[in-house]
Amino acid sequence: MTTNREIHLASRPAGWPTEDTFRLVETDVPTPGPGQIVVRNQYMSVDPYMRGRMNDVKSYVPPFALDAPLDGGAIGEVVASEAPDVAVGDTVLHNLGWREYAVLGARSARKVDPSLAPVSAYLGVLGMTGLTAYAGLLEVAAMKPGETVFVSAAAGSVGSLVGQIAKLKGAGRVVGSAGTAAKVQRLKALGFDAAFDYHDGPVRESLREAAPDGIDVYFDNVGGDHLEAAISAMNLHGRVAICGMIAQYNDTEPPAAPRNLAMVIGKRLTLRGFLVNDHGHLREEFVRDVAGWLREGQLSYDETIIDGIDNAPAAFLGLLRGENLGKMLVRL
């Protein structure tokens, strides 16, 4: 093939993105220079943090450029190489998704073994998603055996792993919130002790019923009313690992802070935001633990797969609407 298709950012959204935010563009398949490789992407990831990069604001990662391809996690097969350490046919993980073919420096790619797990797993349970869950729960929130853990967006790619890892590491009780009855049932099948649909009533009341003795750890993917409810339910010296706040990513007005932040003082709570890139030192331990749990059938993961680069924008919009179960991926 000589034609490459990629998704460009056509405009910066105000509020919710739409299909018009994106543009499908045809280009030539790139040619590698010295030290470079060309990868035929097999899967790409869409993730909530990408919404923030559509805004032209200073953040921990540069914004997407207008009229240029977006980027993000991807995995694929090397089809051309000018790098001595990477051969045609190798499977590599890299960060140039949103396109069918990617050219990049070989040092920016990581070779993986496709015989150990389905390649899509390296974008989820064995990749950034899994490490986020592992590091956030065990290092940032420092969960201890016997504690009660609450996870929001618990049927998503990160949250579903947080709950299972908490049980594997000895949590006394694990509670999850999700957006549909089917997702609630899935959480219970994954071993959550209790789960609720946040549409069924105030989160504070649902959480009080699910965790009558309070919570010690909250893994926050949502923010907003979930964070407020968690603060109220926290026991003394509770910890919050703040991974994301998807509830406000598309807001056009500044969000109201939780109305009970003063409780942080009396309860001596710790609220800590984190980025997975700060916890790379855990990767070896993480891979060892997770690979073992997968091998022994102790850990499960879900994927929602959308086919075709042209459907990548729809996959991303579906992710923001909560249409995914587990990791949302695009198969190219």
Side-chain angles (χ1 to χ4, degrees), residues 124-284:
V125 64
L126 287 173
M128 181 181 74
T129 297
L131 182 57
T132 299
Y134 189 92
L137 177 69
L138 301 179
E139 185 162 86
V140 177
M143 189 211 83
K144 297 185 284 290
E147 292 189 319
T148 296
V149 177
F150 173 44
V151 189
S152 57
S157 58
V158 173
S160 60
L161 297 177
V162 172
Q164 293 180 83
I165 293 171
K167 294 297 289 185
L168 287 164
K169 289 291 189 177
R173 186 169 181 80
V174 177
V175 176
S177 73
T180 68
K183 289 182 178 181
V184 167
Q185 290 305 309
R186 178 56 179 159
L187 294 180
K188 293 178 179 178
L190 290 174
F192 282 66
D193 297 290
F196 60 87
D197 183 341
Y198 61 82
H199 294 109
D200 288 345
V203 176
R204 182 178 299 194
E205 294 179 10
S206 297
L207 181 57
R208 184 184 300 119
E209 181 178 346
D213 295 325
I215 63 175
D216 303 293
V217 168
Y218 172 43
F219 195 103
D220 189 15
N221 292 304
V222 172
D225 57 351
H226 278 73
L227 178 56
E228 185 173 292
I231 290 172
S232 291
M234 276 279 171
N235 296 323
L236 288 179
H237 302 292
R239 288 90 63 208
V240 181
I242 301 178
C243 176
M245 294 191 175
I246 196 170
Q248 61 197 51
Y249 285 173
N250 296 302
D251 288 350
T252 55
E253 297 294 330
R259 295 164 294 179
N260 56 353
L261 275 177
M263 285 185 170
V264 171
I265 303 167
K267 292 187 175 186
R268 281 83 94 194
L269 306 183
T270 299
L271 280 64
R272 181 179 171 191
F274 74 101
L275 299 177
V276 66
N277 290 341
D278 295 336
H279 301 275
H281 60 280
L282 292 177
R283 182 173 296 279
E284 184 175 337

